Amino acid sequence: MSTTDLKDMAELVSLCKRRGFIFPSSEIYGGIGSCWDYGPLGSELKLNVKNRWWNAMTNRDDIEGLDAAILMHPRVWEASGHVDGFVDPLVDCKKCRARFRADHLTPEQIDSKNCPTCGTKGSLTEPRQFNLMFKTHMGPMEDTASLVYLRPETAQGIFVNFENVQQSARQKIPFGIAQIGKAFRNEITPGNFIFRTREFEQMEMQYFVKPGSDMEHFEQWKAMRHKWHVDNGIRPNKLRFHEHAGTELAHYARAAFDIQYEFPIGWQEVEGIHNRTDFDLKRHQEFSKKKIEYFDEATREKYVPFVVETSVGCDRALLSILCDAYRLEGERTVLKMHPELAPYKVALFPLMKKPELIEFSDKVYADLKRTFRATYDDSGSIGKRYRRQDEIGTPFCATVDYDGLTDQSVTVRDRDNMTQERVPAARLTDYMRDQMKIWKPS
Ligand code: ATP
């Protein structure tokens, strides 16, 4: 049977809406610019993505967790360079009002000023610098003294807490701080579903190292982060590194690599790994007038640590997982995602709505729910029920039939290869656990 990957993001958007993964925000009011809400299955999937990241990061002795506030002292953003430097060059078409980021246009388009949307010759404006930070006011007075920003990245919450964490957790360098949280950017050109939005979640880890050892740690983190995406079930041929060179490098970075995924819209960044040097800690020292130094007891040295950062968008990683999992196989649409990420691990079907089958099904279902997220479906043909579960990526479907009442077994059908196996109900959770352990993307 021929299998095709996702070709058009619109197919995924439609599946996500129909099956309750992701809805347009405020939809009954017509939606609001590139904001999305995660539905019953989407919120479950997102939690699974976050848990995998959190466990990979914090289930080791050298990384601590943090959950810093979104609103921070406005001086933080002066120190970080965001007030002056977090700008994108904005270009408008005077005719059709389309907006572009100048750095996304080709040199030819910039020179000719011809609009890529309506084609009008010479209609593009000169680039204007547009700051991407959302502003709001703290307290009842809307004056300049009350101005605060919604954080455009989670990293600064980690930098300003470097000493609090290091001292309270008694960590020695090298060590890291990991955080998951919302970030906000007033993007000029959001779009492509949840790829680029104005409100999104980041999963960031800053690893503090001794100056001079930074490139060695950088290389290690590059490899570990690539492996994380592969371990999530992403097919390795759909991942690649992209190095930032020359003008692409951010003001704070000595080295930067993106991990890119081949989305239906082309190769795009999912995660960035950056060597941020001692830029941020030194700037916070300067702006806060507080010393931020590490004292190495073994060597009796004092220094400002260097930082290797790994920064992945939760929503964007989730989008790569959905895009990669999506397959069209003949009539069937299936999300072949890693079983550990799937919103439901198992669906239970009584073959028919007969009291004796229901009674046994209820018992098996209650047992399953003690271990796994499970769902129950007793409507329509078994074939239809399989299709429903395929579309939402449920790795196992267990059917209770009349034979099961005598041998206390169920028929387990595998999502990826559609094979069926009789499994004793008492062994079902162990069977699923074993199968999940040996799962490979296909
Ligand atoms: P770009 O240049 O594409 O705007 P960036 O290189 O500034 O992005 P980073 O600041 O490195 O992005 O952000 C780290 C990660 O956060 C990205 O790899 C991406 O996964 C995620 N991310 C950044 N901006 C957005 C956004 N607007 N919507 C969703 N995720 C985002």
Side-chain angles (χ1 to χ4, degrees):
M1 188 191 310
S2 76
T3 301
T4 46
D5 285 0
L6 181 66
K7 291 278 180 287
D8 182 352
M9 198 76 95
E11 288 171 39
L12 184 67
V13 177
S14 143
L15 183 148
C16 283
K17 163 108 203 284
R18 188 158 33 88
R19 302 311 311 272
F21 280 96
I22 300 167
F23 309 124
S25 164
S26 326
E27 195 183 8
I28 58 168
Y29 289 97
I32 168 166
S34 292
C35 293
W36 299 89
D37 297 342
Y38 288 82
L41 299 181
S43 49
E44 201 70 44
L45 172 60
K46 199 174 188 195
L47 259 183
N48 293 342
V49 174
K50 288 192 220 175
N51 281 337
R52 268 183 91 81
W53 185 88
W54 189 256
N55 290 338
M57 284 296 174
T58 62
N59 192 13
R60 37 186 286 167
D61 295 335
D62 61 346
I63 299 187
E64 305 289 342
L66 183 76
D67 183 1
I70 289 172
L71 301 174
M72 301 181 74
H73 196 291
R75 291 277 282 168
V76 166
W77 306 110
E78 290 172 33
S80 69
H82 283 82
V83 170
D84 290 332
F86 195 51
V87 287
D88 275 341
L90 169 66
V91 168
D92 294 286
C93 171
K94 287 182 251 177
K95 180 85 190 297
C96 73
R97 308 261 163 238
R99 293 223 144 120
F100 310 94
R101 262 171 69 171
D103 56 328
H104 285 177
L105 296 174
T106 64
E108 193 276 322
Q109 288 168 323
I110 291 177
D111 287 347
S112 68
K113 301 206 170 347
N114 297 343
C115 174
T117 303
C118 69
T120 308
K121 292 210 164 56
S123 66
L124 296 183
T125 60
E126 286 295 328
R128 290 172 286 134
Q129 296 302 335
F130 173 77
N131 194 298
L132 300 185
M133 279 198 293
F134 277 97
K135 299 183 185 75
T136 186
H137 294 273
M138 189 171 261
M141 302 295 280
E142 291 205 2
D143 54 16
T144 46
S146 70
L147 185 68
V148 290
Y149 301 97
L150 301 188
R151 67 181 174 197
E153 64 175 22
T154 55
Q156 299 303 326
I158 288 182
F159 294 130
V160 301
N161 277 297
F162 166 73
E163 290 205 315
N164 283 338
V165 175
Q166 187 263 320
Q167 286 164 15
S168 60
R170 297 189 302 125
Q171 279 288 356
K172 289 194 173 45
I173 276 179
F175 79 95
I177 305 176
Q179 171 166 229
I180 301 177
K182 290 260 180 169
F184 302 83
R185 297 182 186 178
N186 202 358
E187 298 276 3
I188 298 172
T189 49
N192 287 314
F193 196 24
I194 53 169
F195 178 82
R196 189 181 298 284
T197 52
R198 295 189 168 112
E199 170 179 349
F200 56 98
E201 235 165 331
Q202 286 189 315
M203 307 191 286
E204 292 199 303
M205 192 280 304
Q206 273 70 33
Y207 202 70
F208 299 90
V209 306
K210 189 171 176 181
S213 67
D214 43 310
M215 283 315 293
E216 186 190 323
H217 287 288
F218 181 78
E219 290 303 327
Q220 287 170 3
W221 278 108
K222 240 178 81 187
M224 281 190 279
R225 294 309 302 151
H226 184 272
K227 183 171 180 299
W228 184 77
H229 293 275
V230 173
D231 289 348
N232 280 344
I234 303 280
R235 291 164 293 177
N237 64 335
K238 293 281 203 168
L239 291 168
R240 73 176 187 194
F241 282 112
H242 165 77
E243 181 175 8
H244 285 216
T247 53
E248 242 189 308
L249 270 182
H251 59 279
Y252 53 76
R254 168 179 285 185
F257 273 79
D258 292 341
I259 297 175
Q260 294 186 330
Y261 174 75
E262 191 179 18
F263 289 97
I265 51 169
W267 288 96
Q268 297 286 345
E269 168 180 349
V270 182
E271 169 153 8
I273 297 117
H274 311 125
N275 179 346
R276 288 181 83 128
T277 69
D278 54 5
F279 175 85
D280 302 88
L281 291 183
K282 281 217 167 126
R283 292 276 291 189
H284 286 305
Q285 255 190 173
E286 193 187 313
F287 279 70
S288 69
K289 309 215 165 23
K290 302 253 165 33
K291 276 249 166 289
I292 308 178
E293 279 178 338
Y294 175 76
F295 179 64
D296 188 328
E297 307 231 350
T299 62
R300 318 296 294 165
E301 284 173 284
K302 236 187 211 171
Y303 58 82
V304 178
F306 269 41
V307 172
V308 173
E309 158 183 276
T310 75
S311 175
V312 56
C314 178
D315 313 80
R316 209 177 276 183
L318 185 147
L319 183 62
S320 73
I321 288 162
L322 284 174
C323 288
D324 206 60
Y326 187 100
R327 304 296 149 74
L328 215 62
E329 292 183 351
E331 290 294 291
R332 119 179 155 125
T333 308
V334 53
L335 293 183
K336 291 188 167 178
M337 69 173 88
H338 193 305
E340 274 181 35
L341 291 171
Y344 296 123
K345 309 296 177 246
V346 57
L348 193 89
F349 307 155
L351 184 64
M352 283 179 288
K353 289 183 193 170
K354 294 279 191 254
E356 56 279 31
L357 289 176
I358 302 280
E359 194 191 333
F360 185 47
S361 299
D362 285 351
K363 191 183 153 305
V364 178
Y365 186 54
D367 282 349
L368 280 171
K369 285 192 84 131
R370 267 193 277 278
T371 315
F372 295 115
R373 277 271 185 274
T375 182
Y376 190 93
D377 190 357
D378 61 6
S379 67
S381 70
I382 293 290
K384 277 220 181 82
R385 292 186 237 175
Y386 283 155
R387 295 293 175 266
R388 277 184 214 132
Q389 298 305 322
D390 286 344
E391 262 202 343
I392 61 171
T394 310
F396 305 103
C397 293
T399 303
V400 169
D401 59 18
Y402 281 101
D403 289 343
L405 300 183
T406 33
D407 67 3
Q408 307 287 297
S409 289
V410 294
T411 302
V412 181
R413 180 262 199 184
D414 180 286
R415 174 198 68 196
D416 293 352
N417 53 29
M418 297 190 280
T419 53
Q420 300 189 3
E421 210 173 316
R422 290 293 288 177
V423 178
R427 275 209 60 243
L428 188 52
T429 54
D430 285 344
Y431 169 86
M432 284 174 51
R433 227 184 254 118
D434 293 346
Q435 294 292 311
M436 278 159 66
K437 250 185 235 149
I438 57 169
W439 180 85
K440 291 251 167 345
S442 57

Short mmCIF file of all heavy atoms in Angstrom, two decimals, residues 7 50 89 93 154 157 164 207 265 269 307 344 410:
data_model
loop_
_atom_site.label_atom_id
_atom_site.label_comp_id
_atom_site.label_asym_id
_atom_site.label_seq_id
_atom_site.Cartn_x
_atom_site.Cartn_y
_atom_site.Cartn_z
N LYS A 7 1.74 16.61 3.16
CA LYS A 7 2.20 17.45 2.05
C LYS A 7 1.80 18.91 2.27
O LYS A 7 2.46 19.82 1.82
CB LYS A 7 1.57 16.98 0.73
CG LYS A 7 2.09 15.63 0.26
CD LYS A 7 3.43 15.79 -0.46
CE LYS A 7 3.99 14.48 -0.95
NZ LYS A 7 4.53 13.63 0.11
N LYS A 50 6.31 18.14 27.07
CA LYS A 50 7.00 18.85 28.16
C LYS A 50 7.62 17.87 29.14
O LYS A 50 8.74 18.07 29.60
CB LYS A 50 6.03 19.76 28.91
CG LYS A 50 5.60 20.97 28.11
CD LYS A 50 4.90 21.92 29.04
CE LYS A 50 3.72 22.55 28.38
NZ LYS A 50 2.95 23.39 29.27
N PRO A 89 13.43 44.08 11.05
CA PRO A 89 13.23 45.13 10.05
C PRO A 89 11.90 44.90 9.31
O PRO A 89 11.72 43.88 8.66
CB PRO A 89 14.44 44.95 9.11
CG PRO A 89 14.86 43.53 9.30
CD PRO A 89 14.38 43.04 10.62
N CYS A 93 4.02 46.96 2.04
CA CYS A 93 3.67 47.30 0.65
C CYS A 93 2.67 48.45 0.71
O CYS A 93 1.63 48.34 1.37
CB CYS A 93 3.04 46.11 -0.06
SG CYS A 93 2.37 46.58 -1.67
N THR A 154 12.50 32.93 27.91
CA THR A 154 12.51 32.53 29.33
C THR A 154 13.91 32.65 29.93
O THR A 154 14.06 32.68 31.14
CB THR A 154 12.00 31.08 29.48
OG1 THR A 154 12.78 30.23 28.65
CG2 THR A 154 10.54 30.96 29.11
N GLY A 157 15.03 34.88 33.05
CA GLY A 157 14.61 34.45 34.38
C GLY A 157 15.64 33.52 35.00
O GLY A 157 15.82 33.47 36.23
N ASN A 164 20.88 32.45 43.11
CA ASN A 164 19.86 31.83 43.98
C ASN A 164 19.87 30.32 43.82
O ASN A 164 19.82 29.57 44.79
CB ASN A 164 18.46 32.33 43.62
CG ASN A 164 18.19 33.71 44.15
OD1 ASN A 164 18.85 34.15 45.11
ND2 ASN A 164 17.26 34.41 43.54
N TYR A 207 23.35 26.16 30.57
CA TYR A 207 24.37 25.34 31.22
C TYR A 207 25.57 26.23 31.49
O TYR A 207 26.15 26.80 30.56
CB TYR A 207 24.73 24.16 30.29
CG TYR A 207 25.33 22.99 31.01
CD1 TYR A 207 24.57 22.20 31.86
CD2 TYR A 207 26.68 22.67 30.83
CE1 TYR A 207 25.12 21.12 32.53
CE2 TYR A 207 27.24 21.59 31.50
CZ TYR A 207 26.44 20.82 32.34
OH TYR A 207 26.99 19.74 32.99
N ILE A 265 6.52 23.11 4.87
CA ILE A 265 6.90 24.43 4.37
C ILE A 265 8.41 24.52 4.14
O ILE A 265 8.94 25.60 3.87
CB ILE A 265 6.44 25.55 5.33
CG1 ILE A 265 6.91 25.23 6.77
CG2 ILE A 265 4.96 25.77 5.29
CD1 ILE A 265 6.74 26.38 7.77
N GLU A 269 13.89 25.97 11.55
CA GLU A 269 14.42 25.79 12.91
C GLU A 269 13.38 25.26 13.88
O GLU A 269 12.26 25.74 13.92
CB GLU A 269 14.93 27.15 13.41
CG GLU A 269 15.24 27.17 14.89
CD GLU A 269 15.73 28.52 15.41
OE1 GLU A 269 16.04 29.41 14.59
OE2 GLU A 269 15.81 28.66 16.63
N VAL A 307 27.96 30.47 29.25
CA VAL A 307 26.66 29.79 29.18
C VAL A 307 26.46 29.11 27.82
O VAL A 307 26.60 29.75 26.77
CB VAL A 307 25.51 30.80 29.41
CG1 VAL A 307 24.16 30.14 29.14
CG2 VAL A 307 25.55 31.34 30.82
N TYR A 344 -3.67 9.18 24.01
CA TYR A 344 -4.16 7.93 24.61
C TYR A 344 -3.22 6.81 24.22
O TYR A 344 -2.79 6.73 23.07
CB TYR A 344 -5.55 7.55 24.08
CG TYR A 344 -6.64 8.53 24.42
CD1 TYR A 344 -7.40 9.12 23.42
CD2 TYR A 344 -6.92 8.84 25.75
CE1 TYR A 344 -8.41 10.01 23.73
CE2 TYR A 344 -7.94 9.73 26.06
CZ TYR A 344 -8.67 10.32 25.05
OH TYR A 344 -9.67 11.20 25.36
N VAL A 410 -8.00 -10.52 25.21
CA VAL A 410 -8.51 -9.49 24.31
C VAL A 410 -7.69 -9.54 23.01
O VAL A 410 -6.58 -10.06 23.00
CB VAL A 410 -8.41 -8.07 24.93
CG1 VAL A 410 -9.31 -7.93 26.14
CG2 VAL A 410 -6.96 -7.74 25.30
#
